[in-house]
């Protein structure tokens, strides 16, 4: 059963067991729902790490995770972990699309609840097709002409937020000089399966706009993110024990929220490879 959230995007899925056989018909149904709702939350899943890997393979295979060390025994799974007494800055609190600085960013991300706190820790998603569609035609035309410069430098370079000075963090983050590299993508990018026009821009990874001065470019990024994350485009995902959440990285931005101080939180993450027809 698929129950739409009633918000900008997102749906809750019940009555399906992702730990067992994943038939081609089932995967086709899930993919159609995923493309429609952007974010799917599968309730009451008894999935171990092997099952999470099998599901990720069925949805398109493993993508690249350049700055995470994997968990032991599963080279494609990373633990999104925060211990109860941790005081380091919250991980992934600013809006972003996963690994948008890669030449081919992943098509999606899966997060499986291992341990969720009784309060807080919601994940926010913002529908970027809806955000673009709501713009005036003249503004759309302006943005279609722009190319954004993406980089992981703010987060994952040695001098970045999660770099060498980041202490007391339980997550296995691996900062690197590779984070200084840049990659360009159109600011308005067609979805690789549906063709929908999407704003592909975030303050986490966009460090410039081609042909534009740095100050002007950053002002544009800040103006855009205010629009991109207006309430009418945002869906709030509340976590439950034994829940798997999968989102379409090509069409939503997301960010973490806190509010669970004194509680441990652990999610196991896989990245879904870029889509190839």
């Amino acid at each position: 059963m698929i129950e739409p959230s009633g918000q900008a995007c997102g749906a809750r899925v019940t009555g399906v067991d992702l730990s067992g056989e994943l038939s081609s018909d089932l995967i086709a149904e899930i993919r159609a729902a995923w493309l429609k709702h952007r974010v799917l939350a599968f309730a009451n899943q008894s999935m171990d790490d092997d099952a999470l890997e099998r599901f990720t393979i069925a949805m398109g295979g493993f993508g690249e995770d350049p700055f995470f060390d994997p968990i032991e025994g599963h080279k494609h799974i990373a633990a999104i972990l925060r211990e109860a007494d941790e005081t380091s800055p919250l991980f992934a609190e600013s809006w972003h699309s996963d690994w948008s600085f890669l030449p081919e960013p992943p098509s999606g991300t899966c997060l499986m609840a291992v341990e969720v706190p009784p309060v807080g820790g919601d994940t926010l998603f913002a529908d970027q097709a809806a955000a673009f569609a709501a713009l005036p035609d003249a503004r759309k035309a302006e943005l279609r002409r722009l190319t954004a410069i993406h980089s992981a430098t703010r987060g994952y370079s040695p001098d970045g937020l999660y770099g060498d000075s980041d202490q007391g963090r339980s997550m296995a983050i691996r900062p690197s000089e590779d984070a200084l590299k840049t990659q360009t993508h159109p600011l308005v990018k067609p979805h690789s399966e549906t063709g929908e026009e999407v704003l592909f821009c975030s303050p986490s990874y966009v460090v410039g706009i081609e042909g534009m001065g740095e100050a002007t470019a950053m002002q544009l990024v800040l103006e855009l993110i205010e629009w991109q994350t207006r309430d009418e485009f945002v869906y709030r995902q509340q976590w439950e024990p034994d829940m798997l959440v999968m989102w379409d990285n090509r069409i939503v931005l997301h960010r973490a929220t806190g509010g669970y101080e004194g509680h441990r939180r652990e999610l196991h993450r896989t990245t879904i490879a870029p889509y190839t027809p």
Side-chain angles (χ1 to χ4, degrees):
M1 178 180 174
I2 300 173
E3 181 182 358
S5 68
Q7 300 174 49
C9 57
R12 178 184 172 92
V13 183
T14 55
V16 60
D17 180 6
L18 300 180
S19 68
E21 180 184 356
L22 300 171
S23 68
S24 57
D25 287 346
L26 174 61
I27 292 301
E29 289 180 22
I30 290 173
R31 190 168 205 92
W34 186 42
L35 293 176
K36 178 179 179 180
H37 297 290
R38 328 300 202 197
V39 184
L40 296 180
F42 298 89
N44 304 315
Q45 297 299 314
S46 55
M47 298 174 73
D48 59 14
D49 290 324
D50 289 336
L52 176 58
E53 288 185 327
R54 287 195 300 272
F55 179 70
T56 307
I57 291 169
M59 290 304 301
F62 297 116
E64 180 182 354
D65 278 318
F67 301 110
F68 294 159
D69 281 332
I71 65 172
E72 186 175 354
H74 294 273
K75 65 179 183 179
H76 296 292
I77 296 179
I80 308 302
L81 174 64
R82 188 174 182 85
E83 297 291 357
D85 59 353
E86 192 165 326
T87 58
S88 61
L90 190 66
F91 176 71
E93 193 174 18
S94 101
W95 289 102
H96 64 286
S97 173
D98 283 334
W99 306 151
S100 70
F101 49 82
L102 293 176
E104 293 186 77
S107 61
T109 305
C110 298
L111 280 183
M112 180 68 207
V114 175
E115 183 175 352
V116 294
V119 294
D122 297 351
T123 304
L124 303 183
F125 297 92
D127 186 330
Q128 296 308 289
F132 182 72
L135 287 168
D137 287 344
R139 185 62 160 163
K140 290 178 184 176
E142 291 173 6
L143 298 179
R144 287 188 186 107
R145 292 193 290 267
L146 300 179
T147 298
I149 304 167
H150 297 244
S151 173
T153 184
R154 293 191 185 114
Y156 298 102
S157 69
D159 293 331
L161 180 62
Y162 310 119
D164 295 340
S165 63
D166 187 37
Q167 301 295 318
R169 187 175 298 278
S170 50
M171 270 187 68
I173 297 177
R174 184 180 62 238
S176 165
E177 295 283 348
D178 286 344
L180 301 175
K181 297 176 181 177
T182 60
Q183 177 66 48
T184 60
H185 294 288
L187 188 68
V188 180
K189 195 173 183 181
H191 188 283
S192 59
E193 287 183 79
T194 67
E196 293 168 278
E197 289 187 295
V198 174
L199 284 168
F200 198 66
C201 181
S202 77
S204 294
Y205 295 137
V206 171
V207 296
I209 304 291
E210 283 193 342
M212 193 177 290
E214 181 179 358
T216 304
M218 290 302 97
Q219 182 61 38
L220 174 60
V221 171
L222 293 175
E223 289 174 3
L224 280 176
I225 199 62
E226 286 190 18
W227 175 265
Q228 291 169 269
T229 58
R230 288 166 63 103
D231 288 347
E232 60 262 41
F233 308 136
V234 172
Y235 162 60
R236 177 179 288 269
Q237 175 64 61
Q238 295 181 314
W239 285 88
E240 302 171 12
D242 302 321
M243 174 170 276
L244 173 73
V245 175
M246 175 178 67
W247 65 86
D248 190 334
N249 193 56
R250 300 160 292 185
I251 206 164
V252 295
L253 296 179
H254 66 282
R255 75 173 185 90
T257 68
Y260 54 94
E261 293 77 8
H263 298 282
R264 187 177 189 274
R265 184 176 186 263
E266 182 175 1
L267 310 171
H268 281 190
R269 165 186 160 140
T270 57
T271 301
I272 303 173
Y275 173 74
T276 53

